[in-house]
Amino acid sequence: MTYRVVLELDEVALIHSYLLGQLVLLSKRAINHGGILRLCGLSPENQNVLHTCRLYLGLPNYQDRGDAVRGHRPIQPR
């Protein structure tokens, strides 16, 4: 079974608490099997939800599917 998962969430209007909980459970399950869960396409509102809940490190968001598959994050100026 593959435990490296990329979820495209560009069509999700708002991540509610139930979905957030399910994403955390899925991430933990993937990590326990040596994998990873990566998200892509989150709207700015949904990115704020992850930051507010302090889940942005445990549920990494990427700009698009290609970046998520490669695990590539562009270097951002500080």
Side-chain angles (χ1 to χ4, degrees), residues 36-37 46 54 56:
I36 191 165
L37 171 66
N46 285 333
R54 299 181 183 193
Y56 57 95

PDB file of all heavy atoms in Angstrom, residues 36-37 46 54 56:
ATOM      1  N   ILE A  36       3.768  10.174   4.017  1.00  0.00           N
ATOM      2  CA  ILE A  36       3.503  11.587   4.266  1.00  0.00           C
ATOM      3  C   ILE A  36       2.215  11.995   3.558  1.00  0.00           C
ATOM      4  O   ILE A  36       1.850  11.419   2.538  1.00  0.00           O
ATOM      5  CB  ILE A  36       4.679  12.468   3.799  1.00  0.00           C
ATOM      6  CG1 ILE A  36       4.506  13.893   4.301  1.00  0.00           C
ATOM      7  CG2 ILE A  36       4.838  12.412   2.293  1.00  0.00           C
ATOM      8  CD1 ILE A  36       5.741  14.727   4.197  1.00  0.00           C
ATOM      9  N   LEU A  37       1.545  12.964   4.123  1.00  0.00           N
ATOM     10  CA  LEU A  37       0.366  13.564   3.501  1.00  0.00           C
ATOM     11  C   LEU A  37       0.730  14.989   3.146  1.00  0.00           C
ATOM     12  O   LEU A  37       1.240  15.739   3.984  1.00  0.00           O
ATOM     13  CB  LEU A  37      -0.831  13.571   4.464  1.00  0.00           C
ATOM     14  CG  LEU A  37      -2.055  14.352   3.999  1.00  0.00           C
ATOM     15  CD1 LEU A  37      -2.687  13.710   2.762  1.00  0.00           C
ATOM     16  CD2 LEU A  37      -3.073  14.465   5.117  1.00  0.00           C
ATOM     17  N   ASN A  46      -8.414  28.888   3.581  1.00  0.00           N
ATOM     18  CA  ASN A  46      -8.095  27.587   4.164  1.00  0.00           C
ATOM     19  C   ASN A  46      -6.667  27.535   4.692  1.00  0.00           C
ATOM     20  O   ASN A  46      -6.389  26.849   5.676  1.00  0.00           O
ATOM     21  CB  ASN A  46      -8.351  26.467   3.156  1.00  0.00           C
ATOM     22  CG  ASN A  46      -9.824  26.191   2.989  1.00  0.00           C
ATOM     23  OD1 ASN A  46     -10.612  26.419   3.905  1.00  0.00           O
ATOM     24  ND2 ASN A  46     -10.215  25.726   1.815  1.00  0.00           N
ATOM     25  N   ARG A  54      -2.657  25.935  13.988  1.00  0.00           N
ATOM     26  CA  ARG A  54      -1.251  25.548  14.105  1.00  0.00           C
ATOM     27  C   ARG A  54      -0.959  24.175  13.497  1.00  0.00           C
ATOM     28  O   ARG A  54      -0.210  23.372  14.054  1.00  0.00           O
ATOM     29  CB  ARG A  54      -0.789  25.603  15.554  1.00  0.00           C
ATOM     30  CG  ARG A  54      -0.893  26.990  16.124  1.00  0.00           C
ATOM     31  CD  ARG A  54      -0.422  27.056  17.519  1.00  0.00           C
ATOM     32  NE  ARG A  54      -0.618  28.424  18.003  1.00  0.00           N
ATOM     33  CZ  ARG A  54      -0.094  28.877  19.104  1.00  0.00           C
ATOM     34  NH1 ARG A  54       0.646  28.106  19.851  1.00  0.00           N
ATOM     35  NH2 ARG A  54      -0.315  30.114  19.476  1.00  0.00           N
ATOM     36  N   TYR A  56      -0.144  24.000  10.068  1.00  0.00           N
ATOM     37  CA  TYR A  56       0.505  24.245   8.789  1.00  0.00           C
ATOM     38  C   TYR A  56       1.818  23.466   8.633  1.00  0.00           C
ATOM     39  O   TYR A  56       2.224  23.172   7.516  1.00  0.00           O
ATOM     40  CB  TYR A  56       0.737  25.741   8.568  1.00  0.00           C
ATOM     41  CG  TYR A  56       1.547  26.414   9.643  1.00  0.00           C
ATOM     42  CD1 TYR A  56       2.913  26.566   9.498  1.00  0.00           C
ATOM     43  CD2 TYR A  56       0.946  26.896  10.796  1.00  0.00           C
ATOM     44  CE1 TYR A  56       3.671  27.179  10.487  1.00  0.00           C
ATOM     45  CE2 TYR A  56       1.680  27.507  11.785  1.00  0.00           C
ATOM     46  CZ  TYR A  56       3.047  27.651  11.630  1.00  0.00           C
ATOM     47  OH  TYR A  56       3.792  28.241  12.610  1.00  0.00           O
TER      48      TYR A  56
END
